[in-house]
Amino acid sequence: MSRLDYRSITDEQRAVQLNAIGVASCNELIADIPSEIRLHEALAIEGGMDEIALVCHVGELAAENKQLVCFAGGGCYDHHIPAFIDHIVRRPEFFTAYTPYQPEASQGTLQAIYEYQTAMCRLTAMAVSNASMYDGATALAEAALMAVRHARGKRPVVVAAETLNPQYLEVLTTYAQSGLMQTHVASIEKMCAIGTDSADGVVDSDTVAAILIGYPNYYGIYENVAKVVESAHAIGALAIVCANPLLLALGESPGVLGADIVCGEAQCFGSPMSFGGPGLGYLCATERLMRLMPGRIVGRTCDADGADGFVLTLATREQHIRREKATSNICSNHALNALAAGAYLTFHGADGLAAVAQRCVEGARSLYERLIATDSFAPFNISSVDTDEASVRSYEFAVRYTGPGSLAELYDTLVVQGILPGIVVADDVLLVAVTERRNAAELDRFVEGVNRYAASAR
Amino acid sequence: MPLPPGKSEIEVMRHYQYLASRNFGLDTGMYPLGSCTMKYNPRVNEDLCRLEGFTALHPAQPIATAQGALRLMYELAADLAEITGFAATTLAPAAGAHGEYTALMMFRAALEARGDARQTVIIPDTAHGTNPATVALCGYKTITVASNENGTIDLDALREVLDTDVAALMLTNPNTLGLFEPDIGKITAMAHDVGAFAYCDGANLNALMGITRIAEAGFDALHINLHKTFAAPHGGGGPGAGPVCVTSELAPYLPTPVVALREENYVFETPAHTIGRVRSWYGNFSVLVRAYAYLKALGAEGLREVSEQAIISANYVRTQLRDAFDMPYDRPCMHEFVLSGTRQKKESGVRTLDIAKRLLDYGFHPPTVYFPLIVDECMMIEPTETEPLKTLDAFIEAMRAIATEASSNPAMLHAAPQTLPVRRLDETAAARDVVVADLPATNPS
Ligand SMILES: Cc1ncc(COP(=O)(O)O)c(C=O)c1O
């Protein structure tokens, strides 16, 4: 077999083309490329495989990765993806299409995204969802910039909860290097105290465009979002809630709590972990903030005959129309992941989604209790949060290792046994996630592994 | 207002079957969108990126258990650097625009490190919208330079705006007219002379592989759209991936983390002067797998053949349409070219939008229209190397037929499309009475 070649044109046809153009070779067509920078030798790229060799080679790379029983989260979760989802995602009408700039030829993508937007609005209790962002981290950074824009440059500061996903905080910091905003990281108490007398050392309340909080936070804990929202509004700032959207099936929607912008990571809705990407950033807002939103938005309209249809709308916010005055530079987004999320949410509906979330939370609760019962783990309380250790309400929790030996050694031991026990977030603190895919036997293995290690390290 | 009740699997499948039937994909027909490089998406790559050894990988698992993934990333980064002539690559950016952002933030950091904060970025008037939008997102002001009558940078105009307040010059090369900047070495040197960086928007890399290493033209950084040049699918708008390649001078500023090889082991490292993180985790990994597989299939020779064929096919279509439409830059193009519908507009009131919609009736996706902005009634055509000659000929024939129809039956063109699931949609109404979700009117806001 010969190497893969996705071109269709034969040598003879190429001769016909060159003849029609009126040149003898491709070289005559690229005379604008200065000769000093022409490449005269071949690129040093290994390749030229046929399909058999390619499948073999890439298969070997895949096989070099070890599949572990996953108890890690941190924004990327090992949820079950119903098999039919990938059959939808693999339909070439969807995945080979470009951005739906020609709506008459793109009603499928447009309606699918519209349905995704509707589902996200309902989950978050917000009026508008955009068509997707890259991931939760960039969604949060762009939400913060949106708030600063809303304050028309008069309030350059965003105050972010220290309990947000640390990667998201890092991205926020990077985005602030532009000088378009200033970030300030604070505890929930300090955030709620901004603008009050007890706010020593905290920012001036008149400069704050928004307050950013996790729902739940990085450690799976529900901090007092209602109070934070109230405090934000009291100083004239927006409240931005970064929420795990699956858990919204169980808890109060951020919109009901008064959030102005709700954003985060929706990889949980039908996208595989894939080493962390592509996930699905989502971003929802109240109606009054709609025109400040970044990215594409699909809207309803009708055609020349009055029939229903969908188009990209409010394009005057976007880079291709507004250029340097656009609300963001985002162009390609994560549309196919949004399409998968739409299909996932259509299938599950409210009850199905709640059932998935419930199963995750119950699994987490069970593992939490069993880990505490080993005596090798103790509840982890981050300073600013009073949490009732008996009630894990998320499917992710942090625990402090108090057993013999070290958490690092325990972690390595479990990994050797094929278990990824979570994410080590501090020397002795483990962040553990339990999805609906984790069965009782896997939980047993985890707990037994801890006990066995503790016994051996003692 | 909660989600509605769930649906059975067959109901969901039928619904998406219905939606798919109302979508035009690359498998449906030719998709000559200029600047978008709508080439065939190899199916083997779709299979490979779905191998469980990739999809089931958690990004936080110990790197010792993810060596295959890291090796793939390391080699992809190295290959992209080899193709473009740069020293180092980040695979983190999620799309082209995100790559632009990453690079400009690196320029900002490098300038600040030498105590030389600057205010502006120069872009030509042919630039894609993401370029000025990125400039703004990075806290800079845009200076636009006009192109000359050849469609390339006007050196005098450039000289006039270049000063020590300029952080960077951002160019697409070949540019969005499909033309290679003949004075590119001079242009990047002019930028360097005032201490500015030269950025290449690499959206049009499909014209250059194996022909020139664009870093040698004096650029300091470029982004690559893997969802264009490297055959990863566009997904109806994404996800893509926008790796950025940089010179060794800028490598210490790359976003964290980068993959390195240390004594047989692949590891993640944080560059010495990193700009920080630009996203969660490492990159759009499954898109990286597709691009890697594409590279390993084609190899050096295959890549060069891709670029040559892309150039030949574009010139073939160009020469066959030369008399039917106005051609504002009538000279050899790279992988794409622009036409203008001015003649049709003047003679019969038929606009480029009408021509685009009529093409849909002929079974073709329209070209990119009304971009770049400097061409009146612009149509930007990029056939790509994967289209068969028969299809190119059918497209040429359809374009010629439409040019004839424009004078014989303009009403039909105004009324196009007639054969699609919907007629022309009212975008103005959509923006006026905004409905972006099916919600009861009382939704809290
Ligand atoms: C010239 C040019 N630059 C930048 C971009 C932006 O790329 P992306 O959509 O991947 O962000 C595009 C794609 O549309 C482009 O054509």
Side-chain angles (χ1 to χ4, degrees), chain A residues 1-22:
Chain A
M1 270 174 69
S2 54
R3 72 171 160 78
L4 284 159
D5 181 356
Y6 302 111
R7 296 172 306 162
S8 310
I9 289 173
T10 63
D11 290 346
E12 296 77 51
Q13 290 175 327
R14 198 158 28 253
V16 170
Q17 286 183 309
L18 290 169
N19 190 41
I21 300 167

Side-chain angles (χ1 to χ4, degrees), chain B residues 26-233:
Chain B
L26 193 58
D27 289 5
T28 316
M30 184 174 163
Y31 226 118
L33 277 173
S35 196
C36 302
T37 314
M38 295 296 284
K39 60 170 74 177
Y40 175 68
N41 308 127
R43 292 311 187 268
V44 65
N45 299 352
E46 293 303 308
D47 288 352
L48 293 173
C49 74
R50 285 170 170 84
L51 291 172
E52 245 202 312
F54 296 136
T55 54
L57 268 194
H58 191 280
Q61 73 183 63
I63 51 171
T65 64
Q67 286 294 295
L70 270 78
R71 182 175 149 202
L72 185 147
M73 293 171 73
Y74 181 82
E75 291 189 357
L76 175 62
D79 283 353
L80 295 176
E82 164 68 14
I83 291 167
T84 55
F86 285 97
T89 306
T90 170
L91 300 172
H98 201 213
E100 295 168 24
Y101 170 79
T102 301
L104 254 59
M105 291 306 280
M106 290 172 67
F107 293 165
R108 176 179 269 285
L111 286 165
E112 279 169 9
R114 61 184 200 220
D116 188 12
R118 295 176 174 219
Q119 308 294 327
T120 60
V121 173
I122 298 176
I123 59 169
D125 54 5
T126 48
H128 189 261
T130 51
N131 293 182
T134 299
V135 170
L137 186 64
C138 293
Y140 289 116
K141 288 198 171 43
T142 302
I143 296 176
T144 306
V145 277
S147 304
N148 60 25
E149 68 284 357
N150 296 324
T152 52
I153 296 277
D154 184 327
L155 293 186
D156 293 329
L158 179 63
R159 199 166 291 117
E160 216 151 278
V161 291
L162 265 175
D163 59 33
T164 54
D165 211 21
V166 177
L169 170 65
M170 235 179 152
L171 290 184
T172 307
N173 194 24
N175 70 15
T176 58
L177 301 167
L179 304 173
F180 194 94
E181 293 286 348
D183 293 321
I184 192 61
K186 223 179 279 169
I187 292 169
T188 54
M190 283 165 67
H192 291 157
D193 283 346
V194 296
F197 288 103
Y199 182 73
C200 184
D201 177 330
N204 292 340
L205 186 63
N206 209 45
L208 304 178
M209 293 186 294
I211 295 175
T212 174
R213 283 203 195 89
I214 198 64
E216 284 164 27
F219 287 107
D220 300 286
L222 113 159
H223 80 256
I224 300 168
N225 304 62
L226 296 185
H227 45 303
K228 298 182 180 183
T229 312
F230 294 90

Side-chain angles (χ1 to χ4, degrees), chain A residues 8 14 32 37 39 44 57 66 76 90-91 95-97 102 104-105 109 114 135 174 301 303 305 323 333, chain B residues 17 23-24 26 47 58 61 65 82 127 211-212 235-237 277 280 292 309 331 357 386 423 426 438:
Chain A
S8 310
R14 198 158 28 253
D32 282 344
I37 61 167
L39 194 60
H57 171 66
K66 194 165 171 203
C76 182
R90 289 193 77 149
R91 288 203 63 122
F95 88 83
T96 71
Q102 293 290 339
E104 297 82 4
T109 296
Y114 182 86
D135 66 357
T174 305
T301 189
D303 76 359
D305 294 336
R323 300 178 75 83
N333 54 23
Chain B
Q17 159 66 35
N23 231 39
F24 190 107
L26 193 58
D47 288 352
H58 191 280
Q61 73 183 63
T65 64
E82 164 68 14
I211 295 175
T212 174
R277 239 178 218 291
S280 52
Y292 177 84
Q309 187 59 54
R331 60 190 181 105
K357 301 301 182 194
T386 58
R423 301 274 311 281
D426 191 342
D438 288 345

Side-chain angles (χ1 to χ4, degrees), chain A residues 82-399:
Chain A
F84 76 85
I85 297 274
D86 197 46
H87 287 267
I88 291 174
V89 167
R90 289 193 77 149
R91 288 203 63 122
E93 298 92 329
F94 293 133
F95 88 83
T96 71
Y98 194 69
T99 301
Y101 286 136
Q102 293 290 339
E104 297 82 4
S106 316
Q107 286 299 296
T109 296
L110 286 162
Q111 185 172 340
I113 299 299
Y114 182 86
E115 289 170 2
Y116 158 81
Q117 291 175 184
T118 295
M120 294 310 291
C121 286
R122 288 179 178 222
L123 267 179
T124 56
M126 303 302 283
V128 198
S129 163
N130 79 0
S132 70
M133 304 294 288
Y134 305 137
D135 66 357
T138 55
L140 184 67
E142 294 244 25
L145 286 168
M146 207 176 133
V148 171
R149 220 175 297 126
H150 176 67
R152 295 203 184 80
K154 293 187 192 104
R155 292 168 171 258
V157 179
V158 296
V159 183
E162 63 187 4
T163 50
L164 278 163
N165 185 321
Q167 290 191 1
Y168 293 20
L169 288 175
E170 286 179 49
V171 173
L172 195 65
T173 306
T174 305
Y175 274 67
Q177 301 304 311
S178 63
L180 296 183
M181 63 176 166
Q182 295 160 25
T183 56
H184 187 92
V185 177
S187 68
I188 297 294
E189 279 100 38
K190 288 238 167 90
M191 287 171 90
C192 290
I194 296 171
T196 68
D197 295 340
S198 56
D200 70 303
V202 196
V203 291
D204 177 357
S205 64
D206 291 342
T207 64
V208 180
I211 286 182
L212 283 50
I213 182 171
Y215 186 67
N217 70 18
Y218 184 61
Y219 308 95
I221 295 166
Y222 283 88
E223 294 172 284
N224 198 335
V225 169
K227 192 170 158 208
V228 171
V229 170
E230 198 181 302
S231 310
H233 291 168
I235 58 165
L238 298 182
I240 299 176
V241 175
C242 184
N244 175 325
L246 173 57
L247 284 164
L248 297 181
L250 300 179
E252 196 94 72
S253 295
V256 173
L257 297 172
D260 299 284
I261 303 174
V262 185
C263 61
E265 177 63 57
Q267 172 267 337
C268 53
F269 295 155
S271 292
M273 296 190 288
S274 272
F275 210 37
L280 171 60
Y282 77 91
L283 194 144
C284 301
T286 56
E287 196 168 347
R288 82 186 160 120
L289 297 175
M290 178 169 74
R291 285 167 205 278
L292 296 173
M293 284 178 90
R296 297 168 180 148
I297 300 176
V298 177
R300 268 192 189 279
T301 189
C302 53
D303 76 359
D305 294 336
D308 281 346
F310 300 88
V311 290
L312 291 176
T313 195
L314 301 171
T316 50
R317 299 166 300 111
E318 285 193 74
Q319 46 77 27
H320 63 288
I321 306 287
R322 210 24 108 65
R323 300 178 75 83
E324 63 266 33
K325 295 202 176 63
T327 54
S328 168
N329 69 340
I330 191 169
C331 180
S332 290
N333 54 23
H334 283 202
L336 200 61
N337 301 84
L339 182 136
Y344 181 94
L345 293 168
T346 302
F347 173 69
H348 279 306
D351 293 348
L353 197 66
V356 172
Q358 193 61 40
R359 210 165 123 185
C360 296
V361 173
E362 277 163 16
R365 212 169 268 168
S366 161
L367 183 60
Y368 178 80
E369 282 160 12
R370 292 178 66 184
L371 288 178
I372 298 294
T374 62
D375 276 343
S376 289
F377 283 101
F380 169 71
N381 286 325
I382 26 173
S383 58
S384 68
V385 184
D386 42 338
T387 144
D388 172 2
E389 73 220 36
S391 80
V392 171
R393 285 168 59 208
S394 165
Y395 55 93
E396 193 157 21
F397 59 83
V399 278

